[in-house]
Amino acid sequence: MPARRKARKRALDVLYEADLRDLPPAQVLVTYLDRIEKPRPDHLDYTINLIEGVAKHLDRIDELIASYAEGWTIDRMPVVDRNLARIAVYELLYVGEIDDPVAISEAVELAKQMSTDDSPRFLNGILGRIAEFATR
């Protein structure tokens, strides 16, 4: 698995736990980092960047997801999908070195592995529309 995909998977783990336990992602991140054996993997810096970035911009990210998720509210989305979308939207809007198609395809690939059969298509649609908006 490529390093950035591993970083996204780790970020998903933390954001998923924070979401389920209704805790701030930064608090869950601290305990998550304590559990990782040393030496820590190189991709951990990107994981931390993703978690902190999503947490910092969560209101704006959720606003965009909600407005482009036709017929779905944020709360009705599966927790995995919601947090994969958050990571991808953060990358689309705030991480210049990640191309939009890469951010989208990475979210779709993780959804194929970790979510429902409908999730990859669902995420691809939402993220594609948000990417279009972001490039205007």
Side-chain angles (χ1 to χ4, degrees):
M1 186 182 299
R4 290 237 171 144
R5 185 170 298 164
K6 288 179 188 175
R8 289 179 185 95
K9 167 67 174 77
R10 286 181 184 267
L12 175 63
D13 292 344
V14 171
L15 293 170
Y16 180 91
E17 181 180 343
D19 202 351
L20 282 181
R21 296 178 63 203
D22 198 27
L23 294 171
Q27 181 180 337
V28 176
L29 177 60
V30 169
T31 58
Y32 184 83
L33 292 174
D34 288 343
R35 295 188 305 249
I36 295 177
E37 293 182 26
K38 294 185 175 55
R40 291 185 172 163
D42 292 336
H43 65 267
L44 201 56
D45 288 341
Y46 192 62
T47 298
I48 293 166
N49 180 9
L50 290 173
I51 295 163
E52 290 175 346
V54 167
K56 178 179 179 183
H57 300 284
L58 187 60
D59 290 341
R60 177 67 177 138
I61 290 169
D62 280 358
E63 175 187 319
L64 280 171
I65 293 169
S67 66
Y68 285 90
E70 298 164 358
W72 285 86
T73 64
I74 289 278
D75 294 335
R76 277 192 56 220
M77 288 179 195
V79 179
V80 170
D81 295 0
R82 177 171 53 232
N83 286 291
L84 283 172
R86 286 171 172 163
I87 292 166
V89 171
Y90 172 73
E91 288 183 315
L92 289 170
L93 298 181
Y94 303 104
V95 183
E97 70 263 14
I98 302 293
D99 292 333
D100 291 357
V102 172
I104 294 168
S105 68
E106 287 294 315
V108 168
E109 285 304 311
L110 285 170
K112 286 178 184 176
Q113 297 170 18
M114 307 184 71
S115 198
T116 69
D117 290 342
D118 295 329
S119 295
R121 189 171 48 120
F122 173 72
L123 285 172
N124 191 51
I126 291 173
L127 297 173
R129 289 189 295 276
I130 293 171
E132 254 180 54
F133 160 80
T135 57
R136 287 186 200 157

